[in-house]
Amino acid sequence: MKRAIDHINIEEHPKKTRRQILFADMISGLVLLLFLYTSISKLTDNELFKNVLTASPLLKPYAGIISWLIPSIEIAIAILLFIPRFRIKGLIASVILITLFTIYLLYMVAFTPNLPCSCGGVIKLLTWPQHIAFNVFFVFLSLTGIILYRRPKSLESSSPP
Amino acid sequence: MLRYLSGIAATIIAISLVAFTSPDKKPLSTFTFHYTPATYTQPLVQTNSNWVSGSQLCGGTANKACQMEVTDTYTHLDANNNRVLNTTGNVIVIKAKTGANGTDYVPDPSTSTGISSPVDKP
């Protein structure tokens, strides 16, 4: 019998487990909100996003591709987070992507702190350290979501067939 | 269906946030263009492609009006992601007059949208 969070019907679970799944769903919603908001912001003002990317010596040669690739990946992750059966995959992808963003931010802080942020929407108003803290918070949030989704699975597998 | 609720709510909030927080379109910034040829003649000065963003050379000649600040309205990125002056649409019109000795030039701000002042810049 296939046991996966994808097919969990929360009504079949004890109250505590149900709360965990609902909490994980809320986390998925928050991460979805973040990705959807920033991706739409980047797409609606793609020329500005590309301009800012070209100001970065690291990204300048690839600015044209990156200006479309990043929002596309973010929308793909948002779709994964929207569909319950793909939410773990969406959260794992978000951890990877936000970690990559954070590595880039650390590079920017270290080498070119005066450059503008190529982030979407109001997030670009954050300072570099604030942005790094923001990213770390969302990485931990996503990891918490992954753990919460996996826990009901382990509870299921420990129950008698 | 209950499990889609957070996704639906997040989607609605995201779209609303974008709708209400998108800033007005303002010029990104200004870009500094420098005249790069070593010789300063009227036709050369009036050729937009001789003005290059990011260059500091001014053709190796000091005390010339070889620098101008241009808003992004008048520029675009070329295929190599270099900032260049527009050739269509919002185009900078650089006008120069031949100087007194016949080989020099002075900017003509009355008919130019490019060099705004005849005052020499370093």
Side-chain angles (χ1 to χ4, degrees):
Chain A
M1 183 179 172
K2 189 179 179 186
R3 296 278 186 184
I5 187 69
D6 312 352
H7 303 108
I8 282 177
N9 180 354
I10 59 172
E11 299 300 327
E12 293 172 359
H13 287 270
K15 197 174 177 183
K16 189 180 175 186
T17 310
R18 212 159 59 207
R19 271 208 306 266
Q20 285 175 359
I21 295 170
L22 284 175
F23 189 57
D25 283 349
M26 286 166 62
I27 289 174
S28 295
L30 273 177
V31 181
L32 191 160
L33 172 63
L34 172 74
F35 279 114
L36 202 57
Y37 170 67
T38 54
S39 60
I40 295 172
S41 298
K42 285 167 187 159
L43 288 174
T44 52
D45 211 346
N46 191 261
E47 191 61 27
L48 175 66
F49 180 46
K50 190 179 166 185
N51 276 336
V52 177
L53 286 174
T54 57
S56 163
L58 195 67
L59 302 178
K60 184 182 174 183
Y62 319 103
I65 298 169
I66 291 174
S67 68
W68 289 105
L69 188 65
I70 288 180
S72 304
I73 292 171
E74 288 176 340
I75 286 177
I77 292 174
I79 292 169
L80 289 176
L81 290 167
F82 187 84
I83 303 166
R85 63 184 299 173
F86 295 126
R87 278 185 184 158
I88 286 188
K89 290 185 178 77
L91 287 172
I92 292 169
S94 77
V95 168
I96 294 168
L97 190 64
I98 299 173
T99 304
L100 287 175
F101 285 162
T102 310
I103 291 169
Y104 170 70
L105 286 177
L106 290 169
Y107 164 82
M108 295 294 279
V109 170
F111 296 104
T112 49
N114 293 325
L115 285 179
C117 180
S118 51
C119 340
V122 292
I123 294 167
K124 64 173 160 250
L125 301 176
L126 299 176
T127 63
W128 292 115
Q130 286 170 343
H131 202 322
I132 290 168
F134 182 85
N135 280 14
V136 169
F137 170 75
F138 267 93
V139 167
F140 277 108
L141 203 63
S142 300
L143 288 172
T144 306
I146 293 167
I147 292 165
L148 287 174
Y149 276 136
R150 293 229 160 132
R151 191 167 287 173
K153 187 179 172 183
S154 63
L155 286 175
E156 273 191 285
S157 55
S158 64
S159 60
Chain B
M1 191 60 202
L2 181 69
R3 299 199 60 209
Y4 284 94
L5 204 62
S6 62
I8 293 167
T11 305
I12 293 168
I13 294 169
I15 293 169
S16 306
L17 281 174
V18 171
F20 290 109
T21 61
S22 287
D24 295 334
K25 294 225 172 189
K26 292 174 184 171
L28 173 66
S29 54
T30 57
F31 300 94
T32 305
F33 281 73
H34 288 94
Y35 179 77
T36 50
T39 51
Y40 283 76
T41 63
Q42 187 187 30
L44 283 176
V45 170
Q46 291 184 167
T47 305
N48 285 23
S49 59
N50 286 333
W51 294 79
V52 177
S53 173
S55 168
Q56 299 292 325
L57 300 175
C58 290
T61 309
N63 299 320
K64 291 282 185 187
C66 61
Q67 173 181 307
M68 62 180 171
E69 301 292 323
V70 183
T71 64
D72 61 339
T73 312
Y74 294 98
T75 71
H76 68 278
L77 292 167
D78 67 7
N80 298 318
N81 285 327
N82 293 317
R83 178 72 45 190
V84 294
L85 293 171
N86 290 344
T87 51
T88 57
N90 294 317
V91 180
I92 286 283
V93 181
I94 303 168
K95 289 288 181 186
K97 290 177 183 173
T98 304
N101 63 9
T103 57
D104 207 347
Y105 86 101
V106 290
D108 185 359
S110 62
T111 55
S112 172
T113 54
I115 308 166
S116 57
S117 165
V119 177
D120 288 346
K121 292 179 180 175

